Amino acid sequence: MCTVVVRWSAREPVRLLALRDELTTRRFDDPGRWWPAQPDVVGGRDRTAGGTWCATRVGTGATALVLNRPQKRDADPGAPSRGVLPLLAAEHGTRWLEHVALDGMASFLLVLATPDRLTTWDFDGSDVVTTAHAEGTWMVTSGGPEDRKADRWLPAFAQAPYPEAWRELVQKEPPQDDPAALSVRHEQDGLVFATVFGELIESAPGRLRLEHSRRPWEPGPWQLLGDPDAGT
């Protein structure tokens, strides 16, 4: 996951935009209930490691997302994949750290949005910084402040109605080789790293509305998650 916009207010549904940037050759599944041990959790599944970049626990309305960070790009042999973190946070809330050892993991930013709080954990490979966020609209990115994406886009998201105007902002520009773009595409040594998925999530306890697209920059509506138990 590389760009997350969250609009959070206590006692209101959590509203998010999540854009995933990844190697185009890395296969994944669209959001669903992929984890038998967590039947109440919905998210897209990474086929390489089996985890996810974004998970929502329908019963509680909690959504957790993980973004790669640049300080420690590669995990040590045997360390857990970052893809387990959204599953743990969606299940255990702010106590997710009690259920995983971070030793050797690659760096990350974990976002947890629930009906009563918005919290991030920034792990640089050795230390974790926990931040509780006030009500409002927030943007976090894999590049952090250095990519200047929030400087460019956050004011527009803060003013725009959810979800239609948020989708329109994503569709404003095609993918670009620019770290400040919402949709990106970088080619190097025969590999393509690009925006491969977008989703709009509105969650509250017992209710989830999730729209998604594998080409989120293209005009038109996104696919609606067809899961009646998830409130769609």
Side-chain angles (χ1 to χ4, degrees), residues 88-89 92-98 112 114 116-117 119 121:
L88 291 174
H92 302 289
T94 57
R95 302 182 65 177
W96 66 271
L97 274 166
E98 300 173 12
L112 176 63
T114 73
D116 60 353
R117 69 186 68 196
T119 312
W121 291 264

Side-chain angles (χ1 to χ4, degrees), residues 41-64:
V41 171
V42 172
R45 180 177 63 174
D46 180 80
R47 292 191 182 181
T48 300
T52 187
W53 58 95
C54 177
T56 300
R57 187 178 178 185
V58 178
T60 64
T63 297

Side-chain angles (χ1 to χ4, degrees), residues 2-3 19 21 139 141 147-150 152-153 157 169-170 173-186 195:
C2 282
T3 301
L19 298 174
D21 302 340
M139 175 181 277
T141 67
D147 63 24
R148 304 191 66 82
K149 192 175 296 190
R152 179 176 175 184
W153 292 101
F157 278 101
L169 286 170
V170 177
E173 298 177 350
Q176 301 176 47
D177 189 5
D178 178 358
L182 284 178
S183 297
V184 300
R185 182 180 174 87
H186 312 292
T195 301

Side-chain angles (χ1 to χ4, degrees), residues 12 22 52 68 77 127 133 138 151 181-182 203-204 207 215 217:
E12 293 289 327
E22 185 54 86
T52 187
N68 298 348
D127 299 315
H133 298 272
W138 298 86
D151 293 341
L182 284 178
S203 61
R207 182 172 64 85
R215 298 176 67 85
W217 59 87

Side-chain angles (χ1 to χ4, degrees), residues 69-146:
R69 294 290 282 128
Q71 298 95 331
K72 179 179 169 62
R73 295 185 180 275
D74 299 314
D76 296 343
S81 164
R82 290 172 289 199
V84 305
L85 301 178
L87 297 172
L88 291 174
E91 183 73 20
H92 302 289
T94 57
R95 302 182 65 177
W96 66 271
L97 274 166
E98 300 173 12
H99 301 271
V100 64
L102 299 185
D103 297 342
M105 287 189 70
S107 53
F108 61 82
L109 179 74
L110 184 70
V111 180
L112 176 63
T114 73
D116 60 353
R117 69 186 68 196
L118 173 61
T119 312
T120 57
W121 291 264
D122 196 341
F123 177 64
D124 63 4
S126 59
D127 299 315
V128 179
V129 176
T130 305
T131 304
H133 298 272
E135 294 185 354
T137 302
W138 298 86
M139 175 181 277
V140 292
T141 67
S142 291
E146 298 87 354

